[in-house]
Structures are given as structure tokens and as C-alpha cells.
Amino acid sequence: ETGVTQTPRHLVMGMTNKKSLKCEQHLGHNAMYWYKQSAKKPLELMFVYSLEERVENNSVPSRFSPECPNSSHLFLHLHTLQPEDSALYLCASSQDAYNEQFFGPGTRLTVL
Amino acid sequence: DQQVKQNSPSLSVQEGRISILNCDYTNSMFDYFLWYKKYPAEGPTFLISISSIKDKNEDGRFTVFLNKSAKHLSLHIVPSQPGDSAVYFCAAVGSSNTGKLIFGQGTTLQVKP
């Protein structure tokens, strides 16, 4: 499979659940990103990883915890989320942290 | 304070005509600008970009114009096709803000057959 893939595509969870979102890129890129898109709002950058090191943490609450075990995989661990965290979570990758970013299809998250 | 703004939430044009999508920014440190296109249930797809050293970049039916003095960029699609119907996001980044793309709110383009 090519490009940027994300699993699951849809996720419904309760506020006490723990879940993880997975992103995988098959493009040989060195930088990966998590974005949040809420209804009628611009895409919001959450985290940036470059060469597996976190280089940006955009004031994201600690109930979101990213993990980048290697340059091809990125996870977003979720715990004790709030209903207002319901949104589309998009993963992206780029050759370096200043090139065009290629996005995955997103995970539609609903927190009950 | 929103640094990248797309003031038109939607635009409707006839097939074959020109579509013009606009974007304004406030941060003079931005030096690279991108347009993304997004279909429902898919992630954004990179379309075209422009560096601040240029004022125009063309790729097939898509042309991006940059007016640095006005802090304004626009995307022209000629001729528009029904398959162009999507949400278009402009984004900006400064070379000192590694990887930090700032996105506009998006403009929904509808191209009518």
C-alpha cells in the first residue's frame, strides 16, 4: 500500500476509554504530523515529529499522547477524552519538516 | 487571532468558467504558501505551492498568484470541471517555524455541469 494510511477510520469511545490512533506512511518521509479538524474550524496542528523526535507540541492537552517509534509509524494515544475532542484527526508526512505534507484519510473520532 | 483567512466559505461556478479562490494572511514571516484540496471522507491533497520569491506558479489548470504587499494569494482554476468540487484550503509556513503549516478555514467550491 502506498501513501499515508490511518486506522481506524471511525472510532466511538466513552470518556473513560483508552484507545490509540495509528498512522503509517510508505513514502520514505522523515517528518510526521497530527492535526485536528473540528467542524467549521481550520486544521489545527497538534504535534510534529522530525526524524522520530518531537519538534512541536502545540499546547495540546496531556490526554493526547503521541508516539513515534520509527520514521514510518506515528500513534496518538487517547485517554479520558471529552466530548469536545470529537473531531477528524488527520495524520500527515513530509520529506522534511518544511516540505509539502501528504495527508492520510483521517480518523473520525466521536467521544460520548 | 487567525493568521490565515479564507473569507469566502463557499463558491459556485459553471463548468468551463474560471474559479478564483482567495486567501489572506497577516504574518509577514510566512514565506511559503500551499493549496490543498479535500473531498469528503478523505484527507487533504496537496495541489500547488508558491514561494515568496515568486508571484505566480502554474501547474496545468491551476495557477497560484501571490501578492506579498497585500498579503494575499489566490488560486485560479481554468477551466473548472465538476470533479474540482471540493473544499480548498490555503496554508502558510515560515522557514523558522519548522513544519508548522497554518491553515485557513477552507472554501467549498461547487462546479455546476
Side-chain angles (χ1 to χ4, degrees), chain A residues 6 11-12 21 23 26 32-33 37 57 62 64 74 79 86-87 89 91 94 98 105-107:
Chain A
Q6 289 186 244
L11 179 62
V12 179
L21 310 184
C23 176
H26 307 268
M32 296 187 78
Y33 313 78
Q37 185 176 27
N57 179 346
S62 59
F64 295 92
L74 185 66
H79 64 99
S86 299
Y89 288 84
C91 172
S94 62
Y98 191 58
T107 295

Side-chain angles (χ1 to χ4, degrees), chain B residues 6-106:
Chain B
Q6 293 175 255
N7 291 316
S8 297
S10 62
L11 174 68
S12 181
V13 301
Q14 207 65 36
E15 180 178 7
R17 306 293 290 268
I18 184 171
S19 296
I20 301 177
L21 298 110
N22 293 304
C23 180
D24 296 294
Y25 62 96
T26 57
N27 190 337
S28 57
M29 298 303 291
F30 289 146
D31 56 11
Y32 193 64
F33 304 88
L34 307 92
W35 283 95
Y36 283 85
K37 172 178 166 180
K38 185 180 185 299
Y39 293 117
E42 294 183 15
T45 304
F46 170 71
L47 202 55
I48 192 169
S49 63
I50 188 167
S51 164
S52 60
I53 62 172
K54 293 186 173 182
D55 54 18
K56 177 182 175 182
N57 188 24
E58 192 171 353
D59 183 2
R61 296 185 297 113
F62 301 92
T63 303
V64 57
F65 294 92
L66 175 63
N67 182 334
K68 282 180 293 183
S69 60
K71 293 191 177 70
H72 177 84
L73 65 154
S74 60
L75 175 68
H76 293 212
I77 306 174
V78 181
S80 301
Q81 299 173 355
D84 296 328
S85 298
V87 180
Y88 289 80
F89 294 95
C90 68
V93 61
S95 55
S96 60
N97 292 342
T98 306
K100 194 168 181 178
L101 281 179
I102 307 296
F103 282 84
Q105 314 95 303

Side-chain angles (χ1 to χ4, degrees), chain A residues 4-41:
Chain A
V4 182
T5 59
Q6 289 186 244
T7 53
R9 294 293 308 274
H10 300 272
L11 179 62
V12 179
M13 59 188 287
M15 289 191 285
T16 58
N17 291 156
K18 287 185 181 182
K19 297 286 184 184
S20 296
L21 310 184
K22 179 182 176 182
C23 176
E24 188 171 356
Q25 58 96 0
H26 307 268
L27 300 167
H29 289 167
N30 294 316
M32 296 187 78
Y33 313 78
W34 280 116
Y35 286 87
K36 175 183 177 182
Q37 185 176 27
S38 304
K40 301 193 191 304
K41 282 184 155 184

